[in-house]
Amino acid sequence: EEEAMIKYILPLADLGIILESFGSRSYLLRAVPAGIRAEPQDFFYSLLEHLEKSKGKTDGFDVKKEFLIHSSCKMAIKANTKLTLQEMEQLLYDLSTTENFLTCPHGRPIIYKITYSEILKAFKRI
């Protein structure tokens, strides 16, 4: 973990993740970006793991891009989360203002269109 942490310490500092040496082979996680809902140390360790796994999988590995992908997944609204009508409306509005609103950062669909005809077929009405 120390090797990975040292490798990413400068790019992560640019993203608001501040680490300081805290003695021999010890480090202090001083700051994480605002909005991270997970425990800071849990988020940091999962981010390091994500960076190490992603390193060989993508062309032009980019720490900032992988940070954003990882953060968006960690902060995503999960299945069975209860939302108010206002939260749902805000979520749809926010989604509509994004550049790539049809898929998540991993390419999985967010929106799936079902036609009226498909619904009728599913219920054997046509």
Side-chain angles (χ1 to χ4, degrees):
E1 291 174 339
E2 183 179 27
E3 187 179 313
M5 188 172 49
I6 290 169
K7 184 181 350 177
Y8 299 117
I9 198 165
L10 292 177
L12 292 177
D14 289 341
L15 299 169
I17 298 174
I18 309 301
L19 292 161
E20 295 177 3
S21 179
F22 198 67
S24 176
R25 299 190 68 177
S26 296
Y27 297 86
L28 175 66
L29 179 59
R30 177 70 66 187
V32 296
I36 302 296
R37 291 184 289 219
E39 288 294 320
Q41 68 275 12
D42 295 340
F43 175 79
F44 176 71
Y45 283 124
S46 68
L47 176 60
L48 271 186
E49 183 179 341
H50 174 81
L51 289 171
E52 284 297 289
K53 286 180 180 177
S54 300
K55 186 173 57 177
K57 292 183 181 177
T58 57
D59 293 333
F61 177 71
D62 180 1
V63 173
K64 182 177 181 179
K65 176 183 171 189
E66 295 302 324
F67 166 79
L68 293 171
I69 289 171
H70 181 72
S71 299
S72 67
C73 287
K74 289 292 178 189
M75 294 172 27
I77 297 169
K78 306 297 186 220
N80 298 318
T81 300
K82 295 192 184 307
L83 299 174
T84 66
L85 180 59
Q86 183 179 3
E87 290 170 323
M88 288 184 260
E89 288 173 344
Q90 185 65 48
L91 184 63
L92 291 172
Y93 173 77
D94 292 345
L95 181 63
S96 74
T97 63
T98 62
E99 191 174 316
N100 298 313
F101 61 91
L102 296 176
T103 63
C104 77
H106 298 103
R108 295 183 193 103
I110 293 173
I111 296 173
Y112 184 78
K113 182 179 179 179
I114 301 174
T115 65
Y116 183 66
S117 174
E118 289 172 310
I119 293 172
L120 291 176
K121 283 182 186 176
F123 289 96
K124 301 189 185 320
R125 297 293 181 197
I126 56 171

